Amino acid sequence: MASTAGPSYTMISHQKHRRSRQRCNTLDTDSQSLSTLGYFKTLPLEIFQMVLNYLSVKDISMLSMVSKTISNRLINYISTPAGNRRLLLQDFHNFELPGKSGGCYILEHYKSLGLLLKRCTFLLPTKDRLKYTHKILSVVSCFKLNGCPSPLHCLGLQCYGIFLQILTAGWDELECHRVFNFLCELSNLPRKVQTVVSSKPGSAQKLELQIRLYCRSVLLNHWIHRSDSAFWLTRILKPWPMVNQARLLYIIFGPVSSLDGHVVWQKMIEGPTDETSLKGLADAIKLLYDTETQEWTADDVISLVDELSVIPQEWLMENNARFLILSGNNICFTFMASKAVNRRVIELARLMVFLALVCEKDLYCMDWAVKMMQKVCKVFSTPRERNNFLQCVENAFAHIMMDMVQTVLTGDHDEENSSFLNLFHLVNAQADFHKEILYLTMRSSSSST
């Protein structure tokens, strides 16, 4: 009995010891997980979420960095109905709420929300981060390309854009490519772009407006660094042939009606336009020309300018000249040098006259136009070619002036007498242009003696 009892007692004792050790390991794991909650470990989950209602979104995003356990709890909270109601504000059309300033408060809210989700999903792969973010935001219809019935009076796409900018800030180029592809898949953007660039301009006005607002508000407007803006604009344009790139550029940045926001396709061909109508296009061209990537060469950008200037038909030369001036010295010179190299001298001479006219109308210094002509002259390889170009400039002044005189004499005068004013400006432009040339000649003569 004694010998039998001994081994039995020893075996039981050993089993109890092993079970006790396993239980201790489990308790250690649980306590380690709970310890990362700090003082929150004493609170039930429901109370923890109630506490979050008293914190600002910025404070919650700071809290998410305390530990992985808290971050996971916050991810769960964001997915709950209570979290959705608290975080996914949808006052996109109520700009005049009491104590709120012009919708700025909701933009700031989504900036903070972008930071919160950036921190909560920090350890996830890019694909999973995007899926989770989409799952959270998919309930907001105003974040979709065609989700709002009144997009011109809605801040939804702007909020979505600023949210994405904060979320993806600092991501590398490959990750940003994935973001763009993900957004294209969600919004079906390529198919919609295909529709508008292959249709007659203005035949799909509503879709043109939706694409313009989505590209600008979601993908382009919120970046601080020009290189980031250039990256996203390149992603939008590069999948398409050059002629479609120009159409798409006009849809996104071209002039629009102040009444309904629709793209005004006839603006550049019906009469002289102002700087406001051209500034967006000019800034976009400068952005592509100045980009540090190898995706755009100078020839690419100049070809794009050429295509743009015939959409939907050939622009008035004055509008073309104003556009080149707004695009900056480098683009203007490169465009004109391209015409010189290709022996399009008569076109170049007419453009030179309208550059002088725009300088007169828009109060730019006329010596800029003269210096630009000097630079273009150096592109010609022989004195004979330069002299021919200068003669063409003088002939262009004469022919354009006679055309304007004919219009004044035979045309119907409108209330603003625009034909007469154009002639008046051209006469002054020619006088000022030649005055600058005389000054330049006299300075050269004085220095040589």
Side-chain angles (χ1 to χ4, degrees), residues 73-85:
R73 284 207 175 186
L74 291 175
I75 288 176
N76 292 333
Y77 167 71
I78 294 169
S79 304
T80 63
N84 273 208
R85 287 193 300 271

Side-chain angles (χ1 to χ4, degrees), residues 7-58:
S8 176
Y9 172 79
T10 304
M11 189 180 298
I12 292 172
S13 175
H14 181 63
Q15 289 176 349
K16 283 184 178 180
H17 175 72
R18 288 181 60 190
R19 287 174 185 170
S20 175
R21 184 173 59 186
Q22 288 174 348
R23 186 166 60 251
C24 287
N25 288 341
T26 303
L27 289 173
D28 288 343
T29 303
D30 291 343
S31 62
Q32 185 179 1
S33 175
L34 288 172
S35 68
T36 59
L37 287 171
Y39 290 110
F40 290 115
K41 68 183 179 181
T42 61
L43 297 177
L45 181 60
E46 295 79 3
I47 303 299
F48 174 77
Q49 293 183 355
M50 289 175 64
V51 170
L52 296 179
N53 291 329
Y54 291 90
L55 300 179
S56 69
V57 181
K58 287 184 179 179

Side-chain angles (χ1 to χ4, degrees), residues 319-347:
N319 292 335
N320 211 353
R322 184 171 281 109
F323 174 63
L324 288 173
I325 290 175
L326 292 173
S327 298
N329 290 351
N330 290 335
I331 293 173
C332 184
F333 170 72
T334 306
F335 183 82
M336 297 178 75
S338 174
K339 288 187 179 296
V341 168
N342 290 301
R343 302 294 187 268
R344 295 161 66 177
V345 180
I346 295 177
E347 285 181 44

Side-chain angles (χ1 to χ4, degrees), residues 39 56 157 165 183 199 206 208 221 225 253 255 301 322 340 418 424 435 449:
Y39 290 110
S56 69
L157 291 179
Q165 187 267 325
L183 292 173
S199 304
K206 184 177 180 181
E208 289 172 357
N221 283 358
H225 302 294
F253 296 105
V301 178
R322 184 171 281 109
S418 59
F424 172 79
K435 179 192 71 176
T449 56

Side-chain angles (χ1 to χ4, degrees), residues 76-333:
N76 292 333
Y77 167 71
I78 294 169
S79 304
T80 63
N84 273 208
R85 287 193 300 271
R86 164 78 194 287
L87 299 174
L88 297 182
L89 302 183
Q90 298 189 41
D91 298 322
F92 303 124
H93 307 88
N94 301 324
F95 300 160
E96 303 301 330
L97 289 176
K100 311 299 182 183
S101 175
C104 291
Y105 84 98
I106 200 167
L107 292 173
E108 286 297 320
H109 173 82
Y110 275 95
K111 184 184 292 186
S112 300
L113 184 61
L115 187 59
L116 170 59
L117 266 69
K118 184 186 189 78
R119 289 169 171 172
C120 283
T121 61
F122 180 74
L123 297 177
L124 297 177
T126 300
K127 185 177 181 181
D128 293 338
R129 296 178 86 174
L130 294 174
K131 284 183 177 179
Y132 173 75
T133 301
H134 170 63
K135 179 182 177 182
I136 297 300
L137 301 184
S138 61
V139 298
V140 184
S141 61
C142 289
F143 287 170
K144 300 173 184 176
L145 188 147
N146 57 348
C148 181
S150 182
L152 279 178
H153 306 96
C154 177
L155 289 175
L157 291 179
Q158 292 185 50
C159 290
Y160 189 35
I162 204 165
F163 171 90
L164 286 173
Q165 187 267 325
I166 295 297
L167 178 70
T168 60
W171 291 16
D172 64 33
E173 191 170 296
L174 179 60
E175 289 175 316
C176 290
H177 273 279
R178 289 172 179 162
V179 173
F180 180 75
N181 293 335
F182 186 77
L183 292 173
C184 284
E185 186 178 347
L186 289 180
S187 62
N188 208 3
L189 183 63
R191 187 180 66 81
K192 296 178 188 298
V193 169
Q194 178 65 56
T195 299
V196 295
V197 297
S198 59
S199 304
K200 182 180 178 181
S203 62
Q205 288 184 327
K206 184 177 180 181
L207 186 55
E208 289 172 357
L209 175 60
Q210 290 173 348
I211 290 173
R212 178 189 178 96
L213 293 176
Y214 188 85
C215 289
R216 290 177 68 133
S217 298
V218 176
L219 300 175
L220 298 173
N221 283 358
H222 304 290
W223 297 103
I224 298 172
H225 302 294
R226 288 173 58 80
S227 58
D228 291 324
S229 299
F231 171 84
W232 291 99
L233 183 56
T234 300
R235 301 285 69 74
I236 294 169
L237 296 179
K238 270 300 182 179
W240 307 99
M242 187 69 70
V243 63
N244 290 343
Q245 289 178 12
R247 281 278 296 271
L248 188 52
L249 204 63
Y250 195 98
I251 288 172
I252 298 173
F253 296 105
V256 294
S257 167
S258 58
L259 298 177
D260 54 19
H262 292 154
V263 178
V264 183
W265 290 98
Q266 304 301 313
K267 186 81 169 179
M268 305 303 177
I269 62 179
E270 290 182 340
T273 189
D274 55 9
E275 291 185 0
T276 305
S277 300
L278 290 162
K279 190 176 186 308
L281 289 168
D283 287 345
I285 290 294
K286 280 193 289 187
L287 186 68
L288 298 178
Y289 188 87
D290 296 339
T291 183
E292 297 177 357
T293 67
Q294 300 301 313
E295 295 183 88
W296 296 96
T297 65
D299 287 342
D300 289 337
V301 178
I302 296 307
S303 297
L304 189 55
V305 171
D306 246 338
E307 290 289 350
L308 195 58
S309 65
V310 293
I311 290 178
Q313 300 170 28
E314 188 173 355
W315 291 6
L316 293 183
M317 191 65 80
E318 181 179 329
N319 292 335
N320 211 353
R322 184 171 281 109
F323 174 63
L324 288 173
I325 290 175
L326 292 173
S327 298
N329 290 351
N330 290 335
I331 293 173
C332 184
F333 170 72

